């Protein structure tokens, strides 16, 4: 099923090719680094080469005489300008938050922390000088891993975070869980590492700032998923600029995956530099800078335990996690390993008791924040790895073990033991469709046939649910969010009947410029060619909270729908007036407003739009114009779910894992544009598969990033991945006007677990290996096979 | 030093530093910003252009090395009204999301189709393994290239690609 269920929609549900693509395929995209303002200067960052160091001095004179060098800025310039610490956007009870200055003043806390900035006439001259700047560092003891950082003798990252523990958080009933374990028929326990990831949007971050002294106005072009959040933070908390005097434009953005949500140091620096220099200033990250300055993802050390009764019904799930936060806490950092993780640790199962305990730990590494899925891939991994281990322990088929523990359709709305209320769901059809699509019994038979050869097969079946569409503002406010999570939309109809839509959501690849007009074209009953979407400019749209947490369609799309309904309501009144009929007698069908039963008397949308603006004849007391704004606050999260299956083939001689097939059935409610939905799923699968098989933001124990370029950080390439088989079930969200649920993160939330379980399925069937941490590189898998065979009495070298 | 490079059929003479990379020459001196920079180790392929008909990562070539040569960038492939079959393929098959890797993907794919008019899925994947895409998972990029090959097989040689 790949279309929505409404029979009247002309555009909603159609796999239209994207309206935005002509500019991208002809090289006419407009990304931040493409923008040139005459007279602009260029900045280069001087970054700490040490994970932890005292800054004893910076000799500005060492570069100030160099050609083209205009200025050197240090932490003292930030202090002198009265610029505040970059704030955290989500506060937990008793959270300990160290200061995060735009330029480090006395201490650098991770490799890549900014200690100075050179501003020069060209980028090359700025980088030359940045490489030459004399900085007197005094290296300090440092620590990279969460487990090591909480040891008694561990180096302290920030003096105001004693023991390096930023927070202790828990959810669920620990006593109830223990009671279930006391009566359990069987229990399993796993120790899991969910490794550090580096998001790696292919467009590096960039910022370009301009200051106009006469008006006091600032303009900032930046690579942002949420320009209004940047404006709010910069204006109110960091720069002390009147909010209306800062315009933030996020033009075409080359991928985000979470890494472009956050308020970064460089954006603050560009605004300050533009003001101090009286000229526009631009900075564009090199990839090597991106590795040590883009917020990173995951990095959990976790213990899980599951208990079942004698029938194999789940009784309880217990999770204990150390979350590595890195050297600073950025915008959503405290929420990711807590409310976006612990509350999801129930999965799709009827679990009488769940308890999740998380400790947030500071280390001398690049900060960790939301990366595609943000907490939910980690939760899915913790659950689905453990579920497979339990299925093995019980000798049950992993698919059937899951099926018999599913929350059933009649159980919704379902209150989990970890706070969430799943408002809708129907998990079994997605499981069955996936099993059929992938021919599961045949795969198991093939696995048996290959057993013992030097090519072994692994098959996984994982089922997930996630919570997205962030979020009901009052609820997240209670939980510590320092922001609203509604969305706004403005619909502006011109006298000619052409329409512009404005949204606070932002597209950095998700196809808003097509999907949003699809919604509008149906509501207004006009051709989609007459509608364009504007986004990414605080100077043009009312307000908004941007795009992350798979919220654009569910929240931004719903705001649009409400604004459109205001337009059609007013348009109908005008049409009725022009037709000299009562409003109740007018219907809006097939693109015209007409009197019921008198189809020859009608007015087009253009007639109405024109009269709304001419205002020669409007209903008594009606304001002219045809424009509407809506602010939409969702009533709940949305809960996409589905089943993903991976098939891997492992060469036991080399340890190389080949992802042979991948299939999934997702439920994101009705599909606005199936082409775009499928693209989101494909990309999500690839990123999760990347985590399972190749990617690791590896540090040494002191905090030196060992994977700091594409030479060491391995992302999937075209020849590493298969074609994906994907399908959908459609269970609409019961609470938003479109029924839609998010799909931007589902692929990633499910696929790291699916690929991991497939690899472990092969290794368990062949060698009895119960667990191995991601990523499953050839070396790691080969060693595990060798060690297990050695343990079974076989020669290690055969 | 002065270099003259024929870019998309037109000669451009500019005074450049010896260390100027071809990609920076294209982007900063000629303002042809369709060619992108995604890394600094020649691994992402976002900067792929054609130099004398061969696909080249323009971050690995100095502008002075391109002196006197013919360079084709994404801007020379086709226009919205007259798209190259690969541009059509990427559009039709949703072979792009954020669009950042797309110019490099199209330029690399064009080289493949020049040498192999009917590539298999495996050949397409192998040929594009020097180009990173973080959005699409490559599935639709493969389909885009296959679609372009079909258009070209049916004689649909639109755009300005026929020459190389």
């Amino acid at each position: 099923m790949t279309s929505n269920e409404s029979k009247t929609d002309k555009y909603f549900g159609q796999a239209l090719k994207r309206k935005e693509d002509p500019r991208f395929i002809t090289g006419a995209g407009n990304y931040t680094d493409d923008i040139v303002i005459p007279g602009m200067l260029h900045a280069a960052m001087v970054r700490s080469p040490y994970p932890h160091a005292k800054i004893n001095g910076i000799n500005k004179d060492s570069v100030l005489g160099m050609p083209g060098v205009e200025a050197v800025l240090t932490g003292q310039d930030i202090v002198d300008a009265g610029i505040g610490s970059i704030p955290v956007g989500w506060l937990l009870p008793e959270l300990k938050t160290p200061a995060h200055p735009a330029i480090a003043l006395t201490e650098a806390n991770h490799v890549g922390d900014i200690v100075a900035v050179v501003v020069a006439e060209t980028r090359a001259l700025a980088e030359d000088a940045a490489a030459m700047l004399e900085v007197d560092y005094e290296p300090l003891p440092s620590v990279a891993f969460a487990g090591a950082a909480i040891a008694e003798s561990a180096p302290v990252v920030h003096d105001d975070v004693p023991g390096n523990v930023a927070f202790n958080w828990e959810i669920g009933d620990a006593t109830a869980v223990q009671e279930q374990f006391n009566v359990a028929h069987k229990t399993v326990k796993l120790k899991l590492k969910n490794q550090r990831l580096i998001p790696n949007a292919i467009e590096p971050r960039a910022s370009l700032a301009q200051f106009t002294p006469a008006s006091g106005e600032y303009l900032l072009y930046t690579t942002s998923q949420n320009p209004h959040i940047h404006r709010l933070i910069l204006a109110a908390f960091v720069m002390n600029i009147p909010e209306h005097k800062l315009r933030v434009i996020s033009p075409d953005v080359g991928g985000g995956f979470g890494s472009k949500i956050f308020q970064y140091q460089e954006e603050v620096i560009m605004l300050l530099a533009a003001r101090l220099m009286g000229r526009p200033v631009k900075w564009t990250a090199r990839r090597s800078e991106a590795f040590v300055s883009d917020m990173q993802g995951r990095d959990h050390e976790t213990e899980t335990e599951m208990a079942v009764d004698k029938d194999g019904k789940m009784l309880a799930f217990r999770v204990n996690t150390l979350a590595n936060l890195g050297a600073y806490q950025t915008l959503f950092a405290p929420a990711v390993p807590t409310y976006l993780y612990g509350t999801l640790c129930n999965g799709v199962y009827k679990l009488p008791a769940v308890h999740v305990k998380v400790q947030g730990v500071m280390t001398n590494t690049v900060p960790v924040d939301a990366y595609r899925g943000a907490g939910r891939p980690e939760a899915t991994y913790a659950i689905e790895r453990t579920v497979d281990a339990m299925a093995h322990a019980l000798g049950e088929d992993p698919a059937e073990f899951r099926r018999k523990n599913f929350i059933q359709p009649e159980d919704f709305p379902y209150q989990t033991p970890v706070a969430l209320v799943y408002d809708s769901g129907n998990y079994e059809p997605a499981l069955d469709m996936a099993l059929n699509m992938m021919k599961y019994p045949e795969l198991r038979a093939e696995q048996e046939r290959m057993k013992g050869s030097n090519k072994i097969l692994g098959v996984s079946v994982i089922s997930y649910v996630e919570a997205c569409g962030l979020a009901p503002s009052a609820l997240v406010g209670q939980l510590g969010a320092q922001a609203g999570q509604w969305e706004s939309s403005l619909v502006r109809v011109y006298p000619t009947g052409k329409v512009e839509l404005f949204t606070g959501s932002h597209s950095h690849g998700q196809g808003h410029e097509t999907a949003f007009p699809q919604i509008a074209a149906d509501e207004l009953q006009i051709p989609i060619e007459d509608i364009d979407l504007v986004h990414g400019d605080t100077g043009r749209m009312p307000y908004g909270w941007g795009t992350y947490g798979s919220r654009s369609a569910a929240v931004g799309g719903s705001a649009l729908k409400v604004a459109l309904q205001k337009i059609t309501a007013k348009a109908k009144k005008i049409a009725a007036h022009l037709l000299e009929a009562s409003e109740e007698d007018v219907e809006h069908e097939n693109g015209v407003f007409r009197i019921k039963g008198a189809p020859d008397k009608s007015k087009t949308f253009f007639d109405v739009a024109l009269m709304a603006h001419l205002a020669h004849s409007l209903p008594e007391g009606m304001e002219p114009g045809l424009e509407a704004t809506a602010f939409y606050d969702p009533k709940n999260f949305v809960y996409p779910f589905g089943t993903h299956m991976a098939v891997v083939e492992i060469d036991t001689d080399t340890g190389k894992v080949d992802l042979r097939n991948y299939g999934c059935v997702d439920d994101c409610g009705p599909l606005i544009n199936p082409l775009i939905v499928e693209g989101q799923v494909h990309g999500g699968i690839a990123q999760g598969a990347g985590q399972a098989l190749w990617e690791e933001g590896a540090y040494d124990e002191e905090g030196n990033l060992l994977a700091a370029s594409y030479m060491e950080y391995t992302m999937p390439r075209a020849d590493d991945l298969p074609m994906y088989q994907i399908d959908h079930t459609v269970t609409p969200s019961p609470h938003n006007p479109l029924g839609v649920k998010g799909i931007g993160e589902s692929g990633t939330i499910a696929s790291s677990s699916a690929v991991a379980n497939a690899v472990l399925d092969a290794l368990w069937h062949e060698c009895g290996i119960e667990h191995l941490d991601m990523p499953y590189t050839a070396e790691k898998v080969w060693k595990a096979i060798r060690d297990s065979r050695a343990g079974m009495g076989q020669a290690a070298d055969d | 030093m002065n270099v003259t490079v024929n870019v998309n059929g037109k000669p451009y003479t500019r005074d450049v530093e010896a260390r100027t990379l071809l990609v920076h020459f294209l982007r900063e001196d000629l303002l042809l910003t369709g060619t992108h920079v995604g890394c600094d180790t020649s691994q992402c392929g976002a900067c792929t252009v054609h130099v004398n008909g061969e696909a080249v990562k323009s971050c690995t070539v100095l502008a002075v090395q391109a002196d006197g040569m013919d360079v084709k960038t994404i801007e020379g492939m086709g226009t919205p009204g007259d798209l190259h079959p690969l541009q059509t393929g990427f559009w039709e098959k949703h072979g792009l999301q954020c669009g950042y890797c797309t110019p490099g993907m199209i330029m690399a794919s064009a080289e493949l189709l020049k040498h192999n008019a009917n590539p298999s899925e495996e050949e397409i994947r192998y040929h594009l393994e020097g180009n990173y895409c973080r959005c699409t998972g490559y599935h639709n990029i493969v389909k885009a290239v296959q679609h372009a090959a079909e258009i070209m097989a049916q004689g649909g040689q639109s755009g300005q690609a026929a020459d190389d």
Side-chain angles (χ1 to χ4, degrees):
Chain A
M1 239 184 327
T2 52
S3 64
N4 79 92
E5 291 165 329
S6 167
K7 290 177 186 64
T8 55
D9 295 333
K10 190 171 166 195
Y11 292 103
F12 194 114
Q14 298 301 311
L16 299 187
K17 61 184 181 182
R18 301 196 313 175
K19 285 167 73 80
E20 50 266 73
D21 283 356
R23 70 176 183 272
F24 294 126
I25 56 179
T26 57
N30 184 38
Y31 301 88
T32 300
D33 188 51
D34 299 341
I35 296 166
V36 172
I37 303 180
M40 72 183 184
L41 293 165
H42 298 262
M45 304 298 144
V46 178
R47 297 180 183 276
S48 172
Y50 298 103
H52 199 190
K54 197 161 167 250
I55 303 162
N56 284 330
I58 295 173
N59 180 10
K60 291 189 180 187
D61 290 336
S62 62
V63 302
L64 276 175
M66 288 178 68
V69 173
E70 291 286 321
V72 176
L73 304 179
T74 67
Q76 191 59 49
D77 294 295
I78 298 293
V79 173
D80 293 346
I83 289 173
S85 171
I86 297 171
V88 180
W90 197 302
L91 302 178
L92 302 174
E94 297 172 51
L95 178 72
K96 293 186 183 65
T97 302
H100 189 190
I103 303 176
L105 181 64
T106 57
E107 202 173 288
N109 289 298
H110 65 86
V111 171
D113 206 357
I114 298 171
V115 298
V117 182
V118 177
V119 182
E121 289 290 343
T122 70
R123 184 178 178 184
L125 293 172
E127 290 180 352
D128 286 347
M132 298 290 286
L133 184 73
E134 290 173 11
V135 182
D136 180 4
Y137 295 103
E138 182 182 328
L140 297 170
S142 56
V143 62
F145 307 129
I150 57 170
E152 217 161 281
S153 57
V156 175
V157 180
H158 296 280
D159 291 339
D160 51 356
V161 186
N164 296 321
V165 176
F167 64 80
N168 283 294
W169 181 91
E170 63 181 311
I171 197 162
D173 186 336
T175 309
V177 167
Q178 188 53 50
E179 283 167 3
Q180 297 288 354
F181 271 87
N182 291 343
V183 299
H185 166 67
K186 202 174 260 307
T187 65
V188 294
K189 188 170 185 170
L190 281 182
K191 211 169 166 182
L192 310 171
K193 176 131 180 72
N194 202 302
Q195 80 270 31
R196 180 77 67 110
L197 298 178
I198 302 176
N200 273 307
I202 304 297
E203 179 205 25
R205 287 187 298 116
S207 297
L208 166 58
Q210 184 175 34
F211 177 62
T212 307
S215 61
E217 288 174 316
Y218 292 83
L219 172 62
L220 176 69
Y221 291 97
T222 194
T223 48
S224 171
Q225 301 179 210
N226 29 250
H228 287 89
I229 289 184
H230 277 89
R231 182 176 68 170
L232 177 61
I233 294 174
L234 288 165
F237 298 100
V238 182
M239 299 291 294
N240 195 22
I241 299 169
E243 194 171 354
H244 64 294
K245 291 200 183 279
L246 171 59
R247 180 177 178 187
V248 179
I249 299 177
S250 181
D252 288 331
V253 172
F257 316 114
S259 71
K260 291 170 181 169
I261 298 171
F262 320 114
Q263 182 58 62
Y264 282 97
Q265 295 170 295
E266 293 88 350
E267 289 147 348
V268 179
I269 294 166
M270 289 309 107
L271 288 171
L272 174 66
R275 185 173 81 205
L276 294 177
M277 309 306 297
R279 289 168 67 179
V281 185
K282 184 200 261 187
W283 163 81
T284 300
R286 291 184 167 274
R287 179 58 56 188
S288 53
E289 286 186 275
F291 270 97
V292 294
S293 68
D294 290 0
M295 298 302 111
Q296 303 183 348
R298 319 283 190 257
D299 206 343
H300 285 192
E301 296 170 31
T302 292
E303 285 178 10
T304 65
E305 286 178 273
M306 183 170 278
V308 295
D309 68 13
K310 61 179 174 22
D311 300 320
K313 289 291 186 87
M314 295 178 192
L315 294 176
F317 188 49
R318 179 155 55 201
V319 181
N320 198 344
T321 293
L322 286 181
N324 190 339
L325 303 175
Y328 301 102
Q329 291 158 34
T330 51
L331 198 62
F332 285 151
V336 174
T338 54
Y339 287 109
L340 295 176
Y341 169 69
T343 57
L344 273 299
C345 280
N346 182 90
V348 290
Y349 307 109
K350 262 190 165 167
L351 270 158
V354 179
H355 181 249
V356 182
K357 204 165 101 181
V358 183
Q359 198 160 51
V361 182
M362 308 297 298
T363 62
N364 295 109
T365 60
V366 176
V368 175
D369 205 316
Y371 166 53
R372 199 172 192 173
R376 291 152 288 162
E378 296 94 309
T380 306
Y381 185 69
I383 302 160
E384 293 300 299
R385 263 299 32 244
T386 313
V387 169
D388 259 23
M390 181 58 88
H392 292 160
L394 292 168
E396 293 194 21
D397 178 86
E400 297 314 307
F401 177 55
R402 284 172 168 82
R403 183 197 303 278
K404 78 176 179 192
N405 280 290
F406 276 164
I407 300 163
Q408 295 301 308
E410 62 273 18
D411 297 331
F412 295 96
Y414 183 81
Q415 172 71 60
T416 74
V418 279
L420 292 179
V421 179
Y422 299 165
D423 58 16
S424 57
N426 189 7
Y427 303 142
E428 224 170 314
L431 173 69
D432 284 326
M433 279 172 73
L435 293 173
N436 287 335
M437 181 168 80
M438 300 297 284
K439 302 187 171 63
Y440 183 60
E442 291 175 31
L443 287 170
R444 288 291 177 206
E446 188 182 355
Q447 181 176 43
E448 276 310 304
R449 283 199 303 277
M450 290 170 76
K451 204 167 181 336
S453 76
N454 65 347
K455 284 274 169 66
I456 58 174
L457 200 71
V459 183
S460 68
V461 184
I462 74 105
S463 297
Y464 75 95
V465 61
E466 65 129 330
C468 63
L470 306 180
S473 299
L475 173 63
V476 295
Q478 286 166 23
L479 303 182
Q482 304 297 296
Q485 288 284 274
W486 45 265
E487 199 46 82
S488 78
S489 188
L490 164 65
V491 178
R492 178 171 294 154
V493 181
Y494 290 99
T496 51
K498 308 295 182 194
V499 177
E500 272 186 313
L501 315 173
F502 299 82
T503 179
S505 296
H506 184 274
S507 175
H508 24 284
Q510 297 92 335
H512 293 33
E513 292 172 42
T514 306
F516 280 55
Q518 284 184 260
I519 296 167
D522 281 340
E523 180 70 25
L524 302 176
Q525 298 183 24
I526 61 174
I528 198 167
E529 292 76 19
D530 289 350
I531 307 172
D532 277 315
L533 177 77
V534 181
H535 65 98
D537 183 348
T538 63
R540 295 189 69 187
M541 53 268 313
Y543 214 91
W545 298 100
T547 286
Y548 43 81
S550 302
R551 66 191 303 272
S552 290
V555 189
S558 294
L560 173 63
K561 180 77 173 178
V562 177
L564 290 164
Q565 286 167 340
K566 293 184 186 180
I567 294 284
T568 47
K570 182 171 180 180
K572 197 173 174 188
K573 284 191 170 67
I574 297 171
H577 176 77
L578 295 176
L579 291 164
E580 297 174 337
S582 75
E583 200 188 328
E584 297 73 42
D585 293 335
V586 172
E587 60 187 6
H588 184 201
E589 262 187 12
N590 298 323
V592 294
F593 296 91
R594 63 185 174 206
I595 300 173
K596 290 175 196 165
D600 53 325
K601 288 200 75 181
S602 68
K603 292 288 172 189
T604 63
F605 186 74
F606 164 71
D607 296 332
V608 170
L610 183 63
M611 186 52 72
H613 288 83
L614 295 178
H616 294 168
S617 176
L618 288 177
E620 184 69 31
M622 179 183 276
E623 290 178 13
L626 194 52
E627 182 167 315
T629 303
F631 294 81
Y632 176 83
D633 202 349
K635 296 181 185 70
N636 193 352
F637 297 94
V638 291
Y639 296 97
F641 61 85
T643 292
H644 283 226
M645 293 179 63
V647 182
V648 301
E649 211 173 277
I650 299 176
D651 183 326
T652 57
D653 294 333
T654 64
K656 186 174 185 301
V657 179
D658 176 30
L659 179 57
R660 197 180 80 177
N661 302 96
Y662 196 99
C664 61
V665 178
D666 295 296
D667 193 317
C668 62
L671 284 65
I672 301 169
N673 182 325
L675 201 60
I676 291 174
V677 168
E678 289 171 14
Q680 290 294 311
V681 175
H682 294 164
I685 292 169
Q687 275 178 23
Q691 169 169 25
L693 297 180
W694 302 285
E695 298 180 32
E696 182 167 24
Y699 286 88
D700 72 10
E701 59 188 21
E702 292 182 332
N704 296 293
L705 183 60
L706 302 174
S709 81
Y710 287 158
M711 314 275 280
E712 302 95 11
Y713 190 88
T714 312
M715 302 192 301
R717 293 189 178 277
D719 57 353
D720 292 320
L721 294 169
M723 301 304 270
Y724 318 107
Q725 292 167 264
I726 75 179
D727 211 334
H728 308 275
T729 59
V730 178
T731 309
S733 166
H735 65 75
N736 72 50
L738 299 169
V740 297
K741 303 183 283 191
I743 194 64
E745 297 168 290
S746 296
T748 309
I749 287 166
S751 65
S752 49
S753 300
V755 177
N757 276 359
V759 172
L760 268 309
D761 181 73
L763 296 179
W764 184 79
H765 274 93
E766 186 70 19
C767 319
I769 295 169
E770 189 52 79
H771 181 69
L772 200 61
D773 286 324
M774 301 182 286
Y776 305 110
T777 58
E779 181 193 15
K780 189 187 283 181
V781 170
W782 180 81
K783 279 181 176 166
I785 294 171
R786 179 198 61 181
D787 292 349
S788 77
R789 286 179 174 170
M792 289 189 293
Q794 294 182 21
D797 59 348
D798 61 0
Chain B
M1 52 207 303
N2 270 333
V3 295
T4 301
V5 185
N6 294 307
V7 180
N8 301 327
K10 276 169 72 177
Y12 293 88
T13 301
R14 294 288 188 277
D15 182 21
V16 300
E17 270 193 273
R19 62 175 170 174
T20 304
L21 297 173
L22 177 59
V23 66
H24 292 136
F25 174 77
L26 295 169
R27 288 181 54 80
E28 288 156 27
D29 291 279
L30 305 189
L31 298 178
L32 293 170
T33 54
T35 302
H36 297 148
V37 180
C39 74
D40 38 25
T41 50
S42 295
Q43 259 136 355
C44 79
C47 66
T48 306
V49 300
H50 294 178
V51 177
N52 286 352
E54 295 294 317
V56 163
K57 291 178 178 176
S58 60
C59 71
T60 62
V61 179
L62 296 167
V64 295
Q65 289 177 291
D67 190 25
M69 293 190 179
D70 292 321
V71 172
K72 177 175 272 192
T73 69
I74 186 68
E75 288 90 346
M77 288 294 275
T79 60
D82 182 23
L83 293 174
H84 184 280
L86 274 162
Q87 293 170 316
T88 303
F90 273 74
W91 192 10
E92 290 286 339
K93 296 298 174 188
H94 190 32
L96 64 148
Q97 289 178 28
C98 80
Y100 198 78
C101 76
T102 311
M105 285 286 179
I106 289 176
M107 300 312 287
S109 301
E111 185 190 55
L112 171 67
L113 295 184
K114 189 175 87 173
H115 298 298
N116 183 349
N118 185 25
S120 66
E121 180 196 333
E122 197 183 349
E123 287 168 333
I124 294 169
R125 288 182 181 276
Y126 180 73
H127 187 84
L128 293 179
E129 64 96 43
N131 292 68
Y132 267 138
C133 171
R134 195 63 160 160
C135 293
T136 65
Y138 304 103
H139 182 113
N140 285 345
I141 289 177
V142 172
K143 287 169 71 175
V145 177
Q146 288 170 333
H147 189 68
E150 284 164 23
I151 296 172
M152 290 165 81
Q154 289 157 14
Q157 273 284 12
S158 61
Q160 294 140 39
D163 59 338
D164 68 10

